[in-house]
Amino acid sequence: LRKRFLADIYAPDASVPQSAHGFPALVWMHGGALTFNDKRADNNPNIGTRLADHGVVTAMINYRYATQVAFPGFALDALTALAWLRDQARPRFGLSLDLNRLFLGGHSAGAYIAGVAGFDEKLHREVGLQPGQPAGLVLISGQLSTHFTISGQLGHTGRRVDEMAPIYLMHKNAPPTLFMVAAHDMELREQENHYASEVLRTLGGKHVEYHRIFNRDHGSVFSNMDRSEEHTSELQSPCNLVCRLLLEK
């Protein structure tokens, strides 16, 4: 089971400039229905390298599956990883991090985890994060209602919004959030993310972005994120949209 908690760290090389406050950092959760895949799935290594080239320290992590831990255990894993990276980046890896730019993100089930972890402030306190940590969320094709795996474990069918849904946990002081979906995503995934972005705006969210990526499906919206030949309506690549949030906050 210990292998589930390993992380791969992608760091900028010496040629990448850093601010006086250090590099921003992103803890990333993979997709896989909360039941499969790991930190090296779905082109994660190449994307970690691409983000590092842009000056973002990126930790691709494993987390406990829904079959191994009850809700919100996997969200606590994500936040624990963020606190660990904050505390260990310098002594263990010699990396200087900007403590005001520590982010969470994920794709699909990983975005669900990032949403739960990012929006629930009680969990932040539980792992010793400070106000403003995480500094923002990157949610790519996430299920923002209660995840179907969790609902199924509880004997429910159909789409539900309850206390285990990221959209239920949103509030006006939520971290800046980037929602990204594919034009050919899973059924209702685009509508759900657009609705969630509007809810967060209505609640008074400080910084909310929603982007629909053309010519991508549920998998390729993330696995091809490091490719720039396809663009959003704002003519920016998916990777650049993520980096803009992380580097310009």
Side-chain angles (χ1 to χ4, degrees), residues 8-235:
D8 290 340
I9 309 296
Y10 300 85
D13 64 30
S15 66
V16 179
Q18 65 173 296
S19 74
H21 301 291
F23 291 113
L26 171 67
V27 170
W28 190 265
M29 280 69 68
H30 62 81
L34 302 178
T35 59
F36 66 95
N37 271 346
D38 65 17
K39 57 187 171 57
R40 297 197 174 182
D42 298 328
N43 203 28
N44 276 10
N46 287 338
I47 292 168
T49 300
R50 178 73 177 272
L51 292 171
D53 289 343
H54 281 272
V56 179
V57 174
T58 306
M60 302 286 187
I61 72 164
N62 286 335
Y63 52 83
R64 289 173 292 178
Y65 297 145
T67 53
Q68 297 170 317
V69 66
F71 179 95
F74 34 75
L76 285 169
D77 291 346
L79 292 167
T80 298
L82 190 68
W84 172 83
L85 186 61
R86 175 197 64 188
D87 297 338
Q88 297 298 319
R90 183 180 292 277
R92 183 167 294 200
F93 305 110
L95 296 170
S96 176
L97 300 186
D98 184 342
L99 301 186
N100 293 315
R101 292 193 293 168
L102 305 178
F103 297 83
L104 287 176
H107 168 243
S108 194
Y112 169 79
I113 293 172
V116 171
F119 294 133
D120 192 339
E121 292 181 317
K122 297 189 301 297
L123 300 182
H124 303 176
R125 294 189 290 271
E126 192 168 332
V127 302
L129 291 174
Q130 302 301 313
Q133 297 175 349
L137 308 176
V138 178
L139 309 181
I140 299 183
S141 294
Q143 184 170 353
L144 302 176
S145 55
T146 301
H147 198 278
F148 61 81
T149 295
I150 303 300
S151 291
Q153 288 176 330
L154 298 174
H156 302 305
T157 59
R159 198 170 301 270
R160 293 176 58 85
V161 173
D162 55 26
E163 66 276 5
M164 294 177 285
I167 196 169
Y168 177 91
L169 297 166
M170 291 176 178
H171 52 90
K172 68 177 182 179
N173 295 318
T177 304
L178 168 62
F179 299 89
M180 190 183 300
V181 295
H184 306 288
D185 218 310
M186 297 173 66
E187 183 181 8
L188 296 180
R189 192 59 53 97
E190 179 181 345
Q191 295 90 328
E192 185 173 308
N193 275 260
H194 184 262
Y195 176 70
S197 70
E198 290 302 311
V199 168
L200 189 52
R201 286 192 180 99
T202 300
L203 290 170
K206 295 183 291 292
H207 181 105
V208 182
E209 291 188 38
Y210 170 82
H211 296 279
R212 180 177 182 264
I213 308 302
F214 298 132
N215 302 319
R216 303 284 176 92
D217 59 22
H218 183 71
S220 64
V221 67
F222 173 71
S223 64
N224 291 344
M225 192 178 80
D226 58 333
R227 302 178 186 175
S228 58
E229 69 272 12
E230 298 166 29
H231 303 298
T232 69
S233 57
E234 295 187 3
L235 302 180

